[in-house]
Amino acid sequence: VNNLSQETAAMAEELNASTEEISSVIQNVAGSMNNASANSDEVMSGMKETVTALEQIAAAAESQAATAEKLNSLIQLFKI
């Protein structure tokens, strides 16, 4: 009976150590997930800034095209 009690105690200690190890791994995974989420937010923010910049570039290009058309019309007035 004494041996059985000692074996049970040893198994309980091993189980406790395994549980602590699993808990540690889960905490690491949770931390990694939080970091990944923060990184995803940063990437999304960067993408939004890029889209805004591209929209501004497109608007500027359209404005320049309109100005070029007006200049061409004015040049046509001076042609003989």
Side-chain angles (χ1 to χ4, degrees):
V1 173
N2 193 20
N3 276 345
L4 186 58
S5 294
Q6 289 176 348
E7 286 180 23
T8 303
M11 292 172 100
E13 286 180 24
E14 286 181 34
L15 182 60
N16 187 37
S18 295
T19 302
E20 288 176 4
E21 189 173 331
I22 290 169
S23 176
S24 176
V25 169
I26 290 172
Q27 287 176 352
N28 287 338
V29 169
S32 295
M33 295 298 290
N34 285 338
N35 289 340
S37 176
N39 291 340
S40 294
D41 289 343
E42 287 179 25
V43 168
M44 180 62 82
S45 178
M47 290 177 72
K48 287 179 181 178
E49 289 176 12
T50 301
V51 167
T52 300
L54 290 173
E55 288 171 345
Q56 291 172 350
I57 290 169
E62 288 176 10
S63 176
Q64 288 179 346
T67 301
E69 285 180 26
K70 290 178 186 174
L71 287 172
N72 281 333
S73 296
L74 288 173
I75 289 170
Q76 294 302 318
L77 295 175
F78 291 105
K79 282 191 174 179
I80 301 177

